[in-house]
Amino acid sequence: MALEITDANFDELVLKSDKPVLVDFWAEWCGPCRMVGPVVEELAKEFDGRAVIGKVDVDSNPEISMKFGIRNIPALLFFKNGEIVDKQIGAVPKSVLADKLSKQLA
């Protein structure tokens, strides 16, 4: 299952991770976010043990959202060694996200 990432645990779970990280910035009221949500959960299962997959509720965690300039959601940021290495704004097919994540594992 995708981890719940918050302002409080972001540094520990994302920036200090020794694995690639996919963070889904979303909100309950966002239609496209609800389309991406199940895809993110599937990726969490498929990449279990190889990558960290998490979700940030932008309404509950404004600090992280502002830090990374999240203006449009869903916004999916890919981190490696604490740095943003890729991003995807808006709903896309699962294969696009899986490909981007796989590149970070190489």
Side-chain angles (χ1 to χ4, degrees):
M1 233 183 98
L3 299 171
E4 184 179 341
I5 298 175
T6 64
D7 285 344
N9 69 14
F10 187 85
D11 285 4
E12 191 62 41
L13 293 177
V14 178
L15 300 183
K16 294 179 181 171
S17 175
D18 59 350
K19 296 181 176 91
V21 184
L22 166 58
V23 181
D24 174 18
F25 288 83
W26 71 288
E28 194 64 49
W29 46 264
C30 164
C33 297
R34 288 198 294 273
M35 290 165 44
V36 170
V39 170
V40 170
E41 292 295 339
E42 285 175 32
L43 291 171
K45 286 187 192 114
E46 288 174 28
F47 285 87
D48 187 34
R50 297 184 298 150
V52 175
I53 315 276
K55 297 170 74 75
V56 173
D57 182 336
V58 296
D59 291 333
S60 306
N61 300 284
E63 205 175 288
I64 305 171
S65 304
M66 282 194 321
K67 179 178 177 182
F68 291 103
I70 303 298
R71 290 187 184 82
N72 300 310
I73 53 173
L76 298 113
L77 301 186
F78 297 80
F79 290 83
K80 191 169 186 177
N81 302 322
E83 301 287 322
I84 295 175
V85 290
D86 205 347
K87 67 169 99 176
Q88 178 64 53
I89 308 299
V92 292
K94 178 181 170 184
S95 59
V96 172
L97 299 176
D99 286 349
K100 286 177 180 269
L101 199 51
S102 292
K103 282 187 186 139
Q104 303 315 318
L105 293 170

